[in-house]
Amino acid sequence: MTGSILNLIESYPCGKREYLIPILQAVQERQGYLSKEVITAIGRHLDLPASKIYGVATFYNQFRFKPLGKYHITICRGTACHVKGSGSVLNSLTRSLGIRPGDTTNDGLFSLEVVACIGACGLAPVMVVNDQFHAGISPESVESIIAAYRGLEPNGEPLAGAEG
Ligand code: FES
């Protein structure tokens, strides 16, 4: 944890538990996720046990406890995408990656996030990997997409559908 994160935490009033969510939001915005050290430092500052902070933070789906993966996957669960089967696409993604939304794979390659409408309803169901949109996805096609990203890695599986 950097000194600037500690300064950020300490810029909130000491011992005032009502600042827990604003502090968590501010730190995540700065650092991208909430590390163990950060949780401990917030606990010290607000006089709260770490277990209580984890309990609150996991209740709100917006918080992450690991850095984003190299490939950050955002899947839309808005109405248009839902109607076109984004629920089964999400199941396929969690199965292929072995993680739940809000988590990052142990190799640091993929992280998964569920969002409401991302403004591309005509492409439903849609997911975004970093800045790349994938439209009209299905449970099967996302597996190929994941395999293709793995194939970009030096020790990854070959690109799906790639020849030679
Ligand atoms: S509902 Fe998915 S992009 Fe709008």
Side-chain angles (χ1 to χ4, degrees):
M1 182 176 58
T2 63
S4 73
I5 294 287
L6 195 56
N7 289 343
L8 177 64
I9 294 169
E10 290 177 348
S11 69
Y12 289 84
C14 204
K16 297 273 188 194
R17 297 174 177 196
E18 62 269 34
Y19 286 99
L20 175 58
I21 298 290
I23 294 176
L24 292 172
Q25 286 170 330
V27 172
Q28 179 160 290
E29 195 178 315
R30 180 83 62 89
Q31 191 175 254
Y33 72 106
L34 305 168
S35 63
K36 265 191 204 147
E37 294 78 15
V38 157
I39 300 281
T40 306
I42 295 173
R44 256 198 310 267
H45 189 65
L46 295 183
D47 193 22
L48 271 172
S51 57
K52 173 84 180 161
I53 299 177
Y54 277 113
V56 171
T58 48
F59 178 78
Y60 295 93
N61 283 332
Q62 58 179 302
F63 297 114
R64 313 182 51 81
F65 303 100
K66 288 186 191 169
L68 291 185
K70 179 174 180 183
Y71 304 109
H72 182 56
I73 301 172
T74 308
I75 173 143
C76 179
R77 289 288 284 128
T79 307
C81 288
H82 174 75
V83 168
K84 296 227 172 165
S86 64
S88 40
V89 172
L90 177 59
N91 287 340
S92 174
L93 275 175
T94 56
R95 213 176 29 245
S96 304
L97 298 172
I99 55 171
R100 302 187 58 73
D103 206 355
T104 302
T105 55
N106 286 336
D107 58 9
L109 268 190
F110 297 99
S111 49
L112 182 60
E113 182 181 0
V114 170
V115 293
C117 180
I118 49 180
C121 307
L123 305 177
V126 63
M127 78 174 186
V128 183
V129 184
N130 296 344
D131 290 331
Q132 178 108 37
F133 275 71
H134 295 272
I137 48 174
S138 67
E140 298 72 32
S141 72
V142 288
E143 292 196 10
S144 313
I145 293 168
I146 298 299
Y149 281 103
R150 281 206 176 105
L152 296 175
E153 296 304 304
N155 297 317
E157 297 155 15
L159 270 172
E163 292 179 14

